[in-house]
């Protein structure tokens, strides 16, 4: 499901102004079209010339109305900003550009300060939303930003709306718990953040970095909060640690995968002790034994081993009793999961993240994007082609069947 955020007052007023500007041309073309149609209907000897005049008027009006929707910009402004090179060490961690959605966040900036020179509304829309700050176009992951159509999944819109109602400290907690490592802002977002680069398009801004929650972790504790607002509060609340607990909306399914005693990732100890891509829970000095009698791992770890736009593979180790592989990517019912090749349920955690419950030991969790609407549409298309084929071939078969035999 999608929701459309209400346009801010300034944008709404701008739309009204744009509408008033096009009213004269619309009225002029309408009067000309009405006159031409009336004269053509009267069988006027100049009917062909009138039709041509009407076509030319329509084309010129469209060209004039859309001339400003195709702004011309210097080529260097279409290239990735230089500060983006500072994010290559952790390319999958999120970037937050303070000021997206006109959120001030108390350490951010407004869109009007992004480009110091004034620009027409269409140019500004392209500049602020599509070019330097459209991070997905530069193979980077952003946080709290919408596309030009202002459309987003419902859970995401609820997260954005909740972020308006909390203080600065709570917003920063939410960003860090959402795997946001980099922040572009006018002021230092936190005492433990450090500046990496200045933003060339506006020297008042800089790229800052801090240590966020890893993109994937294995948590062992869980709690149920049926209300989605309460689930979201876990991202903002200082008393809750989402790295140690999963806040679910209902009772979780049984652990997926066969229990085993493997206690390390195939990537080796170097990867386990690495940076943000790998998360490690408390290490216990002695092995533990599960109810099945299998000696279980002494620690819970996880890492992303491969990723494409439609598939993410996580390798994880859970201690006795199992755990939840939490992936800090947006939950969507069109994502499905497999644990060791067997389908498993994805449950939302903190309303917006994905969680898969696994048994103890080493498991491979595969997240695959399979949109239901695409599957339904494909089935309907195949059915339609079969029906059309039947309608096309049925008459010819029937005519051959009804053709009289030779010599009759």
């Amino acid at each position: 499901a999608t929701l459309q955020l209400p346009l801010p007052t300034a944008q709404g007023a701008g739309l009204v102004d744009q509408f008033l500007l096009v009213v004269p041309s619309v009225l002029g073309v309408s009067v000309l079209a009405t006159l031409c149609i009336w004269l053509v209907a009267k069988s006027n000897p100049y009917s062909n010339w009138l039709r041509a005049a009407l076509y030319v008027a329509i084309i010129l009006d469209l060209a004039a109305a859309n001339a400003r929707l195709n702004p011309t910009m210097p080529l260097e402004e279409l290239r990735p900003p230089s500060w983006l090179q500072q994010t290559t060490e952790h390319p999958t961690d999120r970037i937050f550009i303070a000021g997206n959605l006109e959120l001030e966040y108390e350490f951010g900036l407004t869109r009007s300060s992004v480009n110091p020179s004034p620009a027409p509304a269409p140019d500004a829309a392209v500049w602020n939303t599509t070019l330097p700050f459209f991070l997905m176009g530069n193979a980077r992951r952003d946080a709290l930003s919408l596309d030009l159509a202002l459309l987003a999944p419902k859970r995401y819109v609820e997260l954005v709306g909740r972020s308006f109602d909390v203080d600065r400290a709570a917003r920063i907690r939410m960003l860090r718990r959402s795997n946001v490592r980099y922040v572009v802002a006018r002021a230092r977002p936190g005492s433990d953040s450090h500046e990496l680069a200045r933003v060339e398009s506006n020297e008042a801004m800089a790229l800052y970095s801090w240590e966020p929650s890893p993109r994937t972790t294995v948590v062992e504790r869980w709690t149920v909060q049926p209300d989605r607002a309460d689930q979201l509060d876990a991202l903002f609340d200082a008393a809750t640690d989402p790295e140690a607990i999963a806040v679910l909306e209902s009772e979780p399914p049984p652990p997926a995968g066969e229990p085993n005693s493997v206690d390390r990732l195939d990537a080796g100890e170097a990867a386990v002790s690495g940076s943000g891509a790998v998360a490690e829970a408390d290490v216990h000095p002695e092995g533990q034994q599960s109810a099945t009698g299998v000696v279980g791992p002494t620690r819970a770890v996880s890492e992303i081993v491969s990723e494409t736009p439609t598939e993410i593979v996580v390798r994880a180790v859970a201690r006795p009793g199992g755990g939840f592989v939490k992936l800090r990517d947006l939950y969507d019912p069109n994502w499905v999961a497999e644990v060791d090749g067997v389908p498993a349920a994805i449950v939302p955690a903190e309303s917006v993240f994905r969680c898969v419950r696994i048994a103890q030991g080493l498991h491979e969790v595969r997240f695959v994007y399979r949109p239901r609407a695409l599957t339904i549409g494909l089935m309907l298309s195949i059915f339609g082609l079969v029906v059309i084929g039947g309608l096309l071939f049925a008459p010819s078969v029937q005519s051959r069947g009804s053709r009289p035999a030779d010599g009759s």
Side-chain angles (χ1 to χ4, degrees):
T2 57
L3 291 179
Q4 185 168 11
L5 293 178
L7 286 172
T9 304
Q11 292 188 21
L15 290 177
V16 173
D17 294 339
Q18 293 291 328
F19 175 76
L20 294 177
L21 287 175
V22 302
V23 166
S25 63
V26 171
L27 290 177
V29 172
S30 299
V31 171
L32 178 61
T34 303
L35 178 61
C36 290
I37 293 173
W38 180 75
L39 292 175
V40 170
K42 299 278 290 182
S43 299
N44 193 287
Y46 300 102
S47 296
N48 292 333
W49 290 101
L50 292 172
R51 291 192 187 96
L54 179 59
Y55 294 152
V56 170
I58 292 175
I59 293 173
L60 291 178
D61 178 69
L62 290 174
N66 292 280
R68 297 176 63 195
L69 296 180
N70 297 283
T72 301
M73 294 184 178
L75 182 60
E76 58 270 14
E77 294 182 2
L78 301 178
R79 296 190 176 99
S82 60
W83 57 262
L84 203 62
Q85 297 299 318
Q86 300 295 325
T87 66
T88 55
E89 185 177 355
H90 303 280
T92 64
D93 288 350
R94 284 192 173 91
I95 304 172
F96 174 67
I97 300 177
N100 278 0
L101 308 178
E102 281 73 33
L103 291 178
E104 193 54 33
Y105 275 112
E106 300 180 25
F107 58 85
L109 72 157
T110 59
R111 288 191 178 193
S112 59
S113 66
V114 173
N115 186 5
S117 60
D123 296 30
V126 173
W127 175 272
N128 290 327
T129 312
T130 306
L131 298 180
F133 294 149
F134 186 60
L135 299 175
M136 288 187 293
N138 294 313
R140 292 296 187 273
R141 291 154 39 84
D142 58 6
L144 291 188
S145 62
L146 298 180
D147 56 18
L148 286 172
L150 296 179
L151 293 176
K154 186 175 181 179
R155 293 174 185 267
Y156 181 80
V157 174
E158 292 172 348
L159 173 63
V160 174
R162 184 74 180 97
S163 67
F164 278 99
D165 302 328
V166 297
D167 58 19
R168 179 178 185 271
R171 292 183 186 125
I172 291 178
R173 278 193 295 272
M174 181 273 295
L175 291 174
R176 301 183 80 146
R177 292 170 175 179
S178 301
N179 185 232
V180 173
R181 178 178 294 272
Y182 303 102
V183 176
V184 177
R186 288 185 300 189
R188 189 179 301 275
S191 59
D192 61 340
S193 62
H194 57 279
E195 181 179 323
L196 297 179
R198 305 302 296 184
V199 176
E200 64 274 13
S201 62
N202 190 328
E203 286 299 324
M205 298 188 298
L207 173 68
Y208 298 93
S209 174
W210 55 28
E211 192 66 29
S213 295
R215 189 177 172 193
T216 175
T217 52
V218 177
V219 298
E220 299 173 343
R221 297 190 297 124
W222 54 275
T223 184
V224 174
Q225 292 286 354
D227 185 64
R228 287 221 295 257
D230 294 335
Q231 298 168 38
L232 283 176
D233 284 343
L235 291 175
F236 299 92
D237 187 8
T240 305
D241 183 8
E243 289 193 42
I245 189 171
V247 182
L248 311 178
E249 64 183 13
S250 60
E251 292 291 326
E258 292 295 327
N260 60 78
S261 59
V262 180
D263 62 352
R264 61 192 298 268
L265 301 171
D266 290 346
E269 295 296 329
V272 174
S273 60
S275 60
V278 178
E280 182 171 343
D282 296 335
V283 176
H284 291 247
E286 299 178 356
Q288 302 182 30
Q289 185 166 342
S290 68
T292 61
V294 179
V295 177
T298 59
R299 58 184 172 181
V301 291
S302 65
E303 67 172 348
I304 296 176
V305 296
S306 67
E307 179 178 5
T308 68
T310 58
E311 182 179 279
I312 300 173
V313 179
V314 177
R315 187 175 293 118
V317 173
R319 296 192 298 186
F324 293 86
V325 176
K326 182 185 291 188
L327 180 65
R328 288 176 174 85
D329 286 1
L330 186 63
Y331 171 82
D332 187 285
N334 290 307
W335 282 90
V336 298
E338 296 178 352
V339 176
D340 301 332
V342 179
I346 300 178
V347 295
E350 290 81 62
S351 180
V352 291
F353 299 143
R354 306 175 208 161
C355 256
V356 175
R357 193 177 188 183
I358 61 172
Q360 74 170 55
L362 174 65
H363 302 280
E364 183 178 87
V365 183
R366 186 182 304 270
F367 296 88
V368 182
Y369 186 69
R370 292 175 182 164
R372 300 173 184 175
L374 179 62
T375 303
I376 296 174
L378 181 61
M379 294 174 62
L380 292 176
S381 299
I382 294 175
F383 176 76
L385 290 175
V386 171
V387 172
I388 293 174
L391 294 175
L392 291 176
F393 288 105
S396 59
V397 172
Q398 184 179 5
S399 61
R400 286 199 300 267
S402 60
R403 191 175 299 166
D406 295 338
S408 60

